[in-house]
């Protein structure tokens, strides 16, 4: 694509709203898609009405939807297919006709361990999830899923599937790098599905489903969407995931979702420190484990220097944009680690009280900004300026701000001019 996929998704989502409100163009859009691409009205309307999230669509579907909408809404002369798709994609997709995927045939057989009379656990890969989706066997049920998002425009209201796009982007990136730890997606066989016919074979440990209208996806929708995002970026992408199948009624399904939401939640900052693949955490680990560092073993949660705070500062200053593992990133991790070990040693050798004092979060933020500022510069006055700034800041101390971002930005805005005056 000529743009990030999310830009096209946002554009289409806004168009969907207008089409649903005005109605006059809807039939024309469906007819165009069917006549030119053989694209079924039912699938198109699922996306347009938000029964399916546009993030689930593959690139070809996005092309068909975009072309059909742009054809019907000619007044939007500012947008054209080439704004979103490359010439090669336009040439390729324009000549393609939608073909019905091979429907999954019943019985469906899942290798599962029975947890209770109405709950089983096993595994399933992305290929199998895609096959279920293409066969129309996975349904987003707003009654049992988390609340949908209300969109209001010009006194008109529309409900859309609630989706945290930044979370999807993060999960997708981890999946493509094969560092995502597989976790559970829950598919429910609704109690009121009159077509549901299944049994569990204890001897073979298989859940055998003879017929079913559709599964409801009760938990794991962000992971589910991320699979399709990853597949759109890499058609050969496949990945194992845990699968839980339940046979709950609405009340029990909602109870399960409520129960999931009662989990003890970490702060985002603390949670991020558990991502061992993140560049900033690799830097902190290298510093803490280095025998050349005077503070070896003291940079950790509960140590003299809180590793959570230090990692967040390093991320903001050196690794603010997510990058896949690469030789360039690995070189930067090594370089920054050496730089911090050198700077911490200068601090602790000039004043040995820093070998045993506990550093406040504020001091960690100031030190990190200081080290970043002096990176590549003459450091003869670095420690002296650090001490001077602590005195100056204490004299001008403002009301304590507990929000990390605001604290970080406030200190950075004061420290940089302070240092520049003394260079």
């Amino acid at each position: 694509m000529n743009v990030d996929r999310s830009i096209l998704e946002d554009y289409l989502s806004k168009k969907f709203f207008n089409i649903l409100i005005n109605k006059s163009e809807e039939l024309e859009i469906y007819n165009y898609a069917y006549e030119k691409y053989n694209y079924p009205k039912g699938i198109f309307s699922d996306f347009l009405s938000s029964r399916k999230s546009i993030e689930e669509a593959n690139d070809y579907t996005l092309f068909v939807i975009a072309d059909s909408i742009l054809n019907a809404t000619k007044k939007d002369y500012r947008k054209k297919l080439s704004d979103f798709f490359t010439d090669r994609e336009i040439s390729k997709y324009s000549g393609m006709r939608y073909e019905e995927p091979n429907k999954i045939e019943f019985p469906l057989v899942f290798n599962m361990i029975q947890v209770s009379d109405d709950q089983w656990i096993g595994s399933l890969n992305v290929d199998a999830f895609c096959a279920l989706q293409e066969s129309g066997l996975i349904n987003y049920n707003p009654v049992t899923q988390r609340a949908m998002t209300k969109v209001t425009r010009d006194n008109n209201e529309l409900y859309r599937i609630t989706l945290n796009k930044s979370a999807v982007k993060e999960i997708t990136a981890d999946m493509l790098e094969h560092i995502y730890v597989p976790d559970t997606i829950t598919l429910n066989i609704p109690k009121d599905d009159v077509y549901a016919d299944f049994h569990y074979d204890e001897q073979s440990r298989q859940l055998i489903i003879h017929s079913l209208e559709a599964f409801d996806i009760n938990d794991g929708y962000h992971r589910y969407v991320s699979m399709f995002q990853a597949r759109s970026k890499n058609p050969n992408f496949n990945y194992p995931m845990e699968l839980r199948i339940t046979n709950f009624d609405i009340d029990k399904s909602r109870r399960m979702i409520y129960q999931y939401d009662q989990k003890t939640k970490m702060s985002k900052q603390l949670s991020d420190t558990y991502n061992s693949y993140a560049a900033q955490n690799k830097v902190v680990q290298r510093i803490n484990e280095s025998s050349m560092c005077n503070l070896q073993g003291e940079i950790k949660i509960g140590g003299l220097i809180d590793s959570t705070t230090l990692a967040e500062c390093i991320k903001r200053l050196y690794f603010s944009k997510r990058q896949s593992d690469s030789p360039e990133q690995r070189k930067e991790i090594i370089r920054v680690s050496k730089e911090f070990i050198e700077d911490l040693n200068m601090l602790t050798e000039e004043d040995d009280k820093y070998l045993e004092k506990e550093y406040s979060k504020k001091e960690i933020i100031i030190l990190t900004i200081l080290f970043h500022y002096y990176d590549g510069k003459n450091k003869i006055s670095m420690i002296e300026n650090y001490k001077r700034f602590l005195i100056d800041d204490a004299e001008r101390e403002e009301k304590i701000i507990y929000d990390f971002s605001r604290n970080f930005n406030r200190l950075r805005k004061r420290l940089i001019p302070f240092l520049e005056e003394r260079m």
Side-chain angles (χ1 to χ4, degrees):
M1 286 188 187
N2 283 330
V3 296
D4 187 277
R5 180 187 158 107
S6 62
I7 294 174
L8 176 55
E9 291 168 352
D10 288 341
Y11 172 77
L12 293 177
S13 294
K14 290 174 183 174
K15 285 294 181 184
F16 290 167
F17 189 96
N18 295 333
I19 292 163
L20 288 169
I21 297 303
N22 297 325
K23 293 291 183 183
S24 58
E25 298 160 336
E26 189 172 358
L27 186 59
E28 180 186 351
I29 291 168
Y30 293 149
N31 289 339
Y32 178 88
Y34 183 73
E35 289 167 9
K36 185 171 181 180
Y37 298 105
N38 193 41
Y39 202 84
K41 175 183 174 182
I43 299 177
F44 200 137
S45 67
D46 280 344
F47 288 114
L48 194 144
S49 63
S50 293
R51 287 190 294 272
K52 278 189 176 182
S53 172
I54 191 66
E55 284 78 9
E56 291 183 47
N58 58 31
D59 286 359
Y60 172 65
T61 293
L62 287 179
F63 179 86
V64 172
I65 292 173
D67 186 27
S68 303
I69 288 176
L70 288 170
N71 175 75
T73 55
K74 296 181 177 67
K75 59 188 176 189
D76 193 1
Y77 57 88
R78 294 166 299 177
K79 294 292 183 184
K80 49 189 182 296
L81 279 174
S82 57
D83 290 336
F84 304 110
F85 295 93
T86 64
D87 291 342
R88 184 177 179 182
E89 288 170 328
I90 292 172
S91 176
K92 174 186 174 183
Y93 294 144
S94 295
M96 289 175 61
R97 301 269 292 174
Y98 176 83
E99 293 182 6
E100 284 281 346
N102 293 326
K103 295 281 187 180
I104 289 182
E105 294 186 2
F106 287 96
L108 307 178
V109 179
F110 299 93
N111 295 317
M112 310 289 280
I113 301 296
Q114 187 164 33
V115 178
S116 62
D117 290 343
D118 54 3
Q119 192 172 337
W120 303 264
I121 192 78
S123 67
L124 205 64
N125 61 26
V126 171
D127 283 344
F129 275 110
C130 286
L132 289 170
Q133 188 233 31
E134 288 172 355
S135 297
L137 289 174
I138 297 181
N139 172 56
Y140 184 98
N141 185 347
V143 175
T144 55
Q145 260 289 358
R146 288 164 176 81
M148 298 184 82
T149 300
K150 182 170 74 171
V151 181
T152 304
R153 215 174 284 158
D154 299 329
N155 296 320
N156 294 302
E157 294 181 354
L158 177 71
Y159 286 84
R160 289 181 181 159
I161 294 172
T162 302
L163 198 68
N164 182 331
K165 293 192 175 187
S166 62
V168 169
K169 190 174 182 179
E170 188 79 15
I171 295 169
T172 301
D174 284 351
M175 284 182 169
L176 287 169
E177 292 179 36
H178 289 270
I179 62 174
Y180 187 79
V181 179
D183 54 358
T184 310
I185 292 178
T186 301
L187 300 180
N188 185 51
I189 304 171
K191 279 282 191 183
D192 59 359
D193 185 346
V194 295
Y195 298 99
D197 178 15
F198 62 93
H199 75 279
Y200 181 72
D201 187 322
E202 291 186 6
Q203 188 170 357
S204 63
R205 294 190 172 180
Q206 290 179 327
L207 180 65
I208 302 167
I209 301 176
H210 303 282
S211 63
L212 176 77
E213 183 174 13
F215 292 106
D216 284 346
I217 181 163
N218 272 10
D219 186 66
Y221 188 71
H222 284 77
R223 300 185 283 280
Y224 176 72
V225 169
S226 297
M227 294 178 191
F228 299 109
Q229 297 269 307
R231 179 65 71 94
S232 74
K233 294 177 185 293
N234 176 7
N236 297 318
F237 172 79
N238 199 10
Y239 211 76
M241 292 294 287
E242 290 181 8
L243 171 67
R244 177 184 289 110
I245 295 180
T246 58
N247 180 217
F248 294 166
D249 58 19
I250 290 174
D251 286 343
K252 193 166 184 177
S253 291
R254 292 167 77 99
R255 172 66 199 180
M256 182 191 73
I257 292 169
Y258 170 80
Q259 184 174 306
Y260 287 161
D261 279 346
Q262 303 316 299
K263 293 177 182 176
T264 303
K265 295 178 176 67
M266 295 181 185
S267 68
K268 180 69 166 60
Q269 190 180 330
L270 179 57
S271 174
D272 284 348
T273 65
Y274 285 85
N275 180 4
S276 58
Y277 296 97
Q280 67 272 13
N281 294 333
K282 290 181 180 181
V283 170
V284 172
Q285 183 179 6
R286 289 177 72 92
I287 299 169
N288 189 49
E289 293 179 353
S290 173
S291 60
M292 301 299 292
C293 181
N294 292 346
L295 290 172
Q296 180 189 16
E298 290 296 344
I299 305 171
K300 58 189 178 183
I301 296 173
L304 297 181
I305 295 180
D306 176 55
S307 57
T308 303
T309 305
L310 180 61
E312 180 63 24
C313 292
I314 290 172
K315 175 184 174 182
R316 287 167 182 265
L317 293 168
Y318 296 92
F319 305 102
S320 58
K321 293 183 180 178
R322 178 187 173 112
Q323 296 175 331
S324 299
D325 183 51
S326 64
E328 291 73 24
Q329 188 187 73
R330 291 194 288 273
K331 288 176 185 176
E332 183 67 357
I333 288 169
I334 293 169
R335 189 193 72 78
V336 175
S337 302
K338 287 181 176 178
E339 195 77 23
F340 267 72
I341 291 169
E342 176 187 305
D343 294 346
L344 285 169
N345 286 351
M346 287 180 66
L347 174 68
T348 53
E349 287 165 17
E350 185 160 323
D351 190 338
D352 60 12
K353 77 176 182 182
Y354 289 104
L355 284 169
E356 54 188 11
K357 81 176 293 292
E358 186 175 327
Y359 296 69
S360 68
K361 287 190 176 184
K362 178 177 161 184
E363 288 173 318
I364 296 169
I365 293 172
I366 294 170
L367 276 174
T368 312
I369 297 169
L370 181 87
F371 293 166
H372 180 261
Y373 178 81
Y374 275 96
D375 194 343
K377 297 184 178 74
N378 187 320
K379 300 180 180 179
I380 192 167
S381 61
M382 183 174 72
I383 305 305
E384 180 186 350
N385 282 336
Y386 169 64
K387 292 182 176 180
R388 283 184 177 180
F389 181 78
L390 286 180
I391 295 169
D392 181 78
D393 189 65
E395 291 174 352
R396 300 170 53 189
E397 187 61 64
E398 302 166 2
K399 184 179 178 181
I400 295 174
I401 303 171
Y402 290 99
D403 179 80
F404 180 89
S405 294
R406 291 172 64 195
N407 252 333
F408 184 90
N409 293 333
R410 176 182 70 86
L411 289 167
R412 192 177 187 182
K413 284 177 182 176
R414 286 173 57 175
L415 178 57
I416 299 302
F418 180 91
L419 295 172
E420 288 175 344
E421 287 176 9
R422 287 156 177 75
M423 285 298 287

